[in-house]
Amino acid sequence: MGRIFAIDYGKQRIGIAVTDSEKIIASGLTTLASPEIFKFIEDYLKKEIVERFVVGYPKTLRNEKSEATVFIDPFLEKLQKKYPHIPISLVDERFTSKIAFQTMIDGGVKKMARRNKALIDKISATIILQSYLACIIHKNKQNDVNIL
């Protein structure tokens, strides 16, 4: 079974999270500089099977594209062109950085460590992936209810 590969895309840094092979648990994998993303994906695909990319997509409170999509849309086009056999799902990433920061506080991460933006990006990617997994589980449960 393949994994789901989540991306919290940023102009400078990208947070990466993946599921286990059973697609149950989301785990932060790494944070890397934005120009390194395609090399990283290429290397990762040599070791693991990826069934889907999940990419955080920033929206405004009015559920419209935010100004950050100017950077993400070209990335999505290139990702789709480079890996046409791997589907891409977009997940609303509103508030993921704030949730990641609060998660660090709740987890007892020291104040100096909370300034580590790379850690925030990795946690944000994990939150994006968890949101996607929760949505899939919810859809499956709805389908089960409709069948009965």
Side-chain angles (χ1 to χ4, degrees):
M1 294 183 100
R3 298 174 187 272
I4 301 173
F5 188 100
I7 301 168
D8 178 28
Y9 188 85
K11 190 176 177 183
Q12 295 178 347
R13 285 177 315 281
I14 297 176
I16 305 292
V18 294
T19 63
D20 59 320
S21 59
E22 301 294 318
K23 292 182 274 313
I24 297 171
I25 300 168
S27 301
L29 185 60
T30 192
T31 303
L32 47 116
S34 295
E36 299 171 6
I37 184 62
F38 288 105
K39 172 75 169 115
F40 183 86
I41 291 171
E42 196 66 40
D43 291 344
Y44 189 83
L45 290 175
K46 289 176 184 173
K47 298 178 273 186
E48 300 289 345
I49 297 169
V50 172
E51 289 184 7
R52 176 173 301 277
F53 292 117
V54 173
V55 180
Y57 200 75
K59 294 191 173 187
T60 66
L61 291 176
R62 291 185 174 164
N63 205 30
E64 298 167 345
K65 286 183 171 187
S66 77
E67 55 194 47
T69 59
V70 170
F71 305 108
I72 295 174
D73 287 342
F75 165 73
L76 288 170
E77 288 175 23
K78 189 172 179 181
L79 183 67
Q80 189 171 37
K81 189 175 182 180
K82 202 162 174 67
Y83 306 103
H85 60 286
I86 302 175
I88 301 170
S89 295
L90 303 179
V91 172
D92 184 356
E93 70 167 22
R94 276 181 282 189
F95 309 115
T96 55
S97 293
K98 290 179 182 173
I99 295 167
F101 189 76
Q102 187 61 48
T103 300
M104 289 169 43
I105 291 170
D106 295 345
V109 176
K110 302 283 185 213
K111 197 171 193 174
M112 287 300 289
R114 290 194 306 253
R115 293 181 182 164
N116 181 351
K117 293 187 186 295
L119 180 56
I120 292 172
D121 291 338
K122 182 167 73 171
I123 294 171
S124 293
T126 307
I127 292 167
I128 290 165
L129 186 50
Q130 286 174 329
S131 296
Y132 176 80
L133 292 173
C135 189
I136 294 302
I137 290 168
H138 180 70
K139 265 187 186 176
N140 288 341
K141 283 184 180 178
Q142 279 186 331
N143 288 341
D144 289 345
V145 171
N146 292 336
I147 292 170
L148 299 174

